[in-house]
Amino acid sequence: MNVKAAYRLGAFLVVTLPMMVAFQNCSALDMGPAELRTGTPVVTEEVQQGQKLYVENCASCHGSVKSTAKRSRTAEQISIAIKTESQMRMISLSQSELELIAKALSPESYNPPPVVNEDNRQEFACTPGQLQKTPMTRLTNREYKTALFALLDDFATTLKSDATLVSKINAIPTDVATENRDTLKEQSLLMTAPISNALFESAFRASELVAGATTGLRNYPNTGQCLNAGSITQSCHQLFVKELGSRAFRRPLGTTEANEVAARFWDASMSKSELLQVTFTGVATMPDFLYKIYDRGSAVVGSTTVLSLSAHELATKMAFFLTGAPPDTALKALADNGQILDDTVLAQQADRLLGTAGAKDMIRRLFRESYGYDVFDRLQYDSAFINGVNTSGLGEVMSAELDGFFEEVVLNRSGTFQDIMTSRYTNATDARMGVIYNVSAVTNTLAEDRSGFLSRAAMLTKRSGFTASPIKRGLSIVEHVLCQDIGLPPPSAPTSLPVLTEDMITTRYRTAHSTEASGTTCVGCHSRFNTLGYAFEGFDSFGRSRTSETIYKNNQALGSIPVDTSYTTKEITGNSVSGTGARQMSEQLGMSDRAMMCFAKHLKRFEARIPADTNANCQMNRSLTTLYGKDGTQGSIVGAIKSLVLSPEFRRWKY
């Protein structure tokens, strides 16, 4: 590239790349951090009193009540902390004042409790017409790759296989980060200078490939083969930008807008190759390509902050949500003629997209982000304990089993929520999984104790070593399956269980006596979720079935004691339920309103890329109603996904 071309591209990027980073700063559209996390709080007089007391006594150390890590602390926990933490002992509060602070920290203070509908099912409290603010999210790395490849396919389908391009795309800093506890989520509210620089590097390599695609340039649509000439005229360049921009921005560009974009890159002194490189790189680094922007629709009657999505915006939003890719040819055509705005056509296209390969990837990411089964501690075991099984790469094998489970049960079988909680399907073929599941060869159907995804190896190996962890197993369920806010442990919480004097005791006994003892800082939270983990004591730390637990001391087996898998909990339904073992608990969770409401939250969060707030409650109720089904028969998860797409809220943009 000559000096003039480099200068022009450099000048464009000097403006554009900082704008990409700064652009992200307004991506939440003036939503503060607390609004993104919790939605609009429900503030009663008691909550206001509790907030005032919190500010006076707690905020200086623990931060704002809207962002503190002390959410969901009970009056008892606060009282214990005041008595045991040296820096808090000067605080003097009555029992009623402690209860007011606890109320201010409770989930109900920032999220209204569910209501009971006419079918006696719980649902989200909502006011008709509510709409969550729409974030200005950038394409995730996964979506960026599919979008860039789609542009290259218009020139030659082989370009996306270029090793240098693939390497540069893979070098984009990861946008997958730990959010909450043990869950990896794609972060599309994230733009940094390293990310923007890597996006430019990828776009520029793609531009080099495009400049060399002779046949693709000659046949590029709506350019009258003018790109076949040895040099490019300004009018030809304008035609090229209009077509490329329409495809990159996922909406038609008018002549005036296209010419304005083209003027940024036009330089008659550049060679054809250089002009193509500058133009393609520039278009592929503009916010209209890198971000999901839905601001071209008309204003909704009666609102000054809500726009209806245009046909192309609706097609784009649905395509990225259901497939992680921009609209394909069929969807573009329906957007061009406006038919995509018809409910029947939209439903048909949702069905079609859910049958594509992209939908499989969407399901994989949805359930990984919802339930965190792709997050592992290091699988470190004594070789004798696991009979010499090679654990290299085993975590990925375990995750892949559940990827295949959800793909089959949700997509291929149109499964219900109860199905994912109780199905015994597996497609695992790795012999190591056969060892864990105690079968000579893994078949499509596992034993009854493996009902549902919670009883699979990826969910059970939450701590390696000789003993399983009912704490980690229970915490995973209460937070990710039931969406109950536990919060972080207090600073004084031990990092390991205290050593009890008895040698021959089960892990359950040790856990209960260490964390559920009255008067400790642990009891308030652990009494809520430990019992959920106890139901899975029928599996050891490697995920193998067992009826007794071998007790170890200094890596030596002392003997074994029968395990106890009984449980009693209020977390599943809000009322006390009891049972024995993982299978029974999974069946109860499969029918739980709380668990299905939690999944509806996960689904909305996955679509919007930000946590659902109370303004999304009406839309989530549409998915929830589908999950509940009719006459005792649950609706499919695919149906719940479609319900979200077909909701009026999905067609709108709120700023």
Side-chain angles (χ1 to χ4, degrees):
M1 178 176 291
N2 66 25
V3 175
K4 183 176 289 188
Y7 174 79
R8 179 171 287 275
L9 183 55
F12 172 77
L13 293 171
V14 164
V15 175
T16 302
L17 292 184
M19 181 174 66
M20 288 159 54
V21 179
F23 193 68
Q24 196 70 58
N25 292 335
C26 65
S27 62
L29 299 181
D30 299 325
M31 285 190 288
E35 287 177 288
L36 287 174
R37 283 190 299 274
T38 63
T40 304
V42 178
V43 182
T44 64
E45 184 177 348
E46 287 186 331
V47 169
Q48 288 179 327
Q49 293 174 1
Q51 291 174 341
K52 183 174 182 294
L53 287 167
Y54 177 91
V55 169
E56 294 171 349
N57 296 278
C58 315
S60 60
C61 291
H62 298 301
S64 166
V65 71
K66 293 183 178 181
S67 59
T68 180
K70 303 305 176 184
R71 283 290 192 186
S72 300
R73 292 293 187 264
T74 65
E76 181 181 11
Q77 288 176 299
I78 298 170
S79 177
I80 293 171
I82 291 173
K83 295 175 182 177
T84 58
E85 296 295 327
S86 59
Q87 63 268 39
M88 297 178 65
R89 288 176 182 169
M90 74 290 295
I91 298 175
S92 177
L93 293 168
S94 67
Q95 181 62 30
S96 61
E97 288 173 328
L98 291 173
E99 291 172 355
L100 287 171
I101 293 176
K103 189 175 289 291
L105 294 173
S106 70
E108 290 75 16
S109 71
Y110 54 94
N111 194 25
V115 297
V116 178
N117 64 21
E118 59 185 12
D119 296 322
N120 201 33
R121 304 298 297 267
Q122 292 186 37
E123 65 179 21
F124 299 102
C126 86
T127 301
Q130 286 180 329
L131 181 67
Q132 184 170 351
K133 289 182 178 179
T134 311
M136 190 86 74
T137 56
R138 73 167 177 87
L139 302 183
T140 64
N141 289 2
R142 173 175 58 100
E143 293 167 337
Y144 172 78
K145 180 178 179 179
T146 61
L148 187 63
F149 281 2
L151 291 184
L152 293 179
D153 281 345
D154 294 329
F155 298 94
T157 57
T158 57
L159 299 184
K160 61 191 176 189
S161 301
D162 176 74
T164 301
L165 174 64
V166 172
S167 175
K168 288 185 178 297
I169 290 176
N170 291 339
I172 299 172
T174 182
D175 59 353
V176 177
T178 301
E179 186 173 296
N180 302 322
R181 230 185 307 253
D182 298 329
T183 304
L184 297 179
K185 292 187 171 76
E186 292 176 322
Q187 307 295 299
S188 53
L189 289 174
L190 176 68
M191 177 63 83
T192 64
I195 290 177
S196 64
N197 289 333
L199 293 174
F200 164 70
E201 290 287 340
S202 300
F204 182 72
R205 176 54 186 166
S207 77
E208 293 178 317
L209 299 172
V210 167
T214 304
T215 302
L217 288 170
R218 180 175 64 247
N219 298 321
Y220 199 61
N222 300 315
T223 58
Q225 295 193 331
C226 70
L227 297 173
N228 194 41
S231 61
I232 301 177
T233 65
Q234 186 170 13
S235 60
C236 178
H237 181 250
Q238 290 170 338
L239 291 175
F240 174 60
V241 170
K242 184 175 183 180
E243 186 65 22
L244 176 65
S246 296
R247 293 167 183 262
F249 301 166
R250 303 172 285 274
R251 59 177 174 80
L253 263 66
T255 300
T256 300
E257 182 183 7
N259 290 348
E260 289 175 351
V261 174
R264 302 184 186 189
F265 313 115
W266 172 254
D267 189 327
S269 67
M270 287 193 289
S271 69
K272 172 183 176 180
S273 177
E274 290 165 344
L275 183 59
L276 289 171
Q277 290 177 38
V278 167
T279 302
F280 187 94
T281 303
V283 169
T285 52
M286 292 179 70
D288 295 82
F289 175 70
L290 295 176
Y291 289 81
K292 299 173 186 175
I293 303 174
Y294 308 120
D295 61 353
R296 298 269 164 173
S298 57
V300 172
V301 176
S303 175
T304 59
T305 61
V306 179
L307 300 177
S308 60
L309 269 59
S310 69
H312 289 91
E313 289 172 339
L314 179 59
T316 295
K317 185 177 183 181
M318 179 171 70
F320 274 123
F321 171 39
L322 297 183
T323 70
D328 58 16
T329 302
L331 207 55
K332 286 178 184 176
L334 291 171
D336 287 341
N337 60 28
Q339 292 184 38
I340 195 64
L341 296 174
D342 180 82
D343 284 343
T344 301
V345 174
L346 188 65
Q348 292 170 345
Q349 289 303 300
D351 287 332
R352 182 180 69 83
L353 293 179
L354 285 166
T356 64
K360 297 177 182 179
D361 186 61
M362 179 273 290
I363 289 296
R364 176 181 68 88
R365 281 252 47 95
L366 168 62
F367 283 95
R368 284 188 174 209
E369 291 191 7
S370 299
Y371 299 128
Y373 60 84
D374 56 337
V375 180
F376 291 89
D377 291 337
R378 289 179 296 173
L379 298 179
Q380 292 184 313
Y381 297 92
D382 181 272
S383 180
F385 178 71
I386 60 175
N387 299 320
V389 172
N390 179 9
T391 59
S392 177
L394 186 56
E396 289 75 16
V397 171
M398 293 174 176
S399 296
E401 183 211 359
L402 284 185
D403 288 343
F405 171 87
F406 288 116
E407 178 186 326
E408 174 66 21
V409 175
V410 174
L411 287 180
N412 298 342
R413 301 185 181 184
S414 296
T416 64
F417 187 77
Q418 187 174 26
D419 288 333
I420 67 170
M421 286 295 173
T422 59
S423 172
R424 292 186 282 147
Y425 169 81
T426 185
N427 65 349
T429 57
D430 193 297
R432 294 173 294 180
M433 298 296 284
V435 172
I436 295 173
Y437 293 155
N438 194 31
V439 292
S440 56
V442 179
T443 61
N444 285 342
T445 304
L446 295 174
E448 288 186 352
D449 66 346
R450 299 290 176 179
S451 296
F453 76 93
L454 292 176
S455 297
R456 304 305 170 90
M459 299 300 297
L460 294 171
T461 51
K462 291 300 180 185
R463 186 181 71 184
S464 56
F466 289 114
T467 59
S469 176
I471 293 175
K472 286 195 172 185
R473 289 173 176 175
L475 184 62
S476 177
I477 293 171
V478 78
E479 289 191 327
H480 301 314
V481 180
L482 294 167
C483 291
Q484 298 301 302
D485 187 1
I486 296 298
L488 298 174
S492 59
T495 56
S496 61
L497 295 179
V499 177
L500 301 183
T501 56
E502 302 95 325
D503 288 333
M504 287 294 290
I505 56 175
T506 62
T507 300
R508 173 174 182 153
Y509 181 93
R510 186 180 304 280
T511 299
H513 283 70
S514 299
T515 64
E516 297 171 34
S518 177
T520 68
T521 59
C522 307
V523 62
C525 293
H526 282 270
S527 61
R528 293 180 59 190
F529 59 80
N530 283 358
T531 188
L532 298 171
Y534 295 153
F536 293 83
E537 282 291 277
F539 303 100
D540 70 9
S541 65
F542 199 44
R544 297 172 297 194
S545 295
R546 66 182 182 183
T547 56
S548 62
E549 178 183 358
T550 301
I551 308 302
Y552 291 86
K553 183 176 182 179
N554 298 325
N555 297 344
Q556 297 296 316
L558 302 182
S560 62
I561 303 177
V563 296
D564 179 2
T565 63
S566 63
Y567 61 87
T568 299
T569 179
K570 292 184 178 180
E571 299 301 323
I572 296 176
T573 66
N575 297 312
S576 181
V577 297
S578 300
T580 303
R583 178 186 175 188
Q584 190 167 2
M585 177 172 285
S586 293
E587 290 173 347
Q588 292 170 344
L589 286 168
M591 297 296 292
S592 165
D593 289 5
R594 282 188 171 186
M596 282 184 269
M597 291 176 75
C598 180
F599 178 74
K601 285 185 177 181
H602 289 316
L603 178 60
K604 175 57 185 174
R605 190 254 177 240
F606 182 82
E607 178 268 313
R609 307 313 306 170
I610 59 172
D613 66 26
T614 55
N615 290 306
N617 282 357
C618 292
Q619 186 181 23
M620 290 191 294
N621 278 341
R622 299 178 191 278
S623 294
L624 187 62
T625 298
T626 301
L627 289 174
Y628 285 162
K630 295 180 180 179
D631 302 323
T633 301
Q634 289 186 2
S636 70
I637 290 175
V638 165
I641 295 172
K642 281 183 59 181
S643 293
L644 189 148
V645 172
L646 295 175
S647 67
E649 295 87 355
F650 191 82
R651 294 170 175 249
R652 295 179 175 179
W653 157 283
K654 183 177 182 181
Y655 57 92

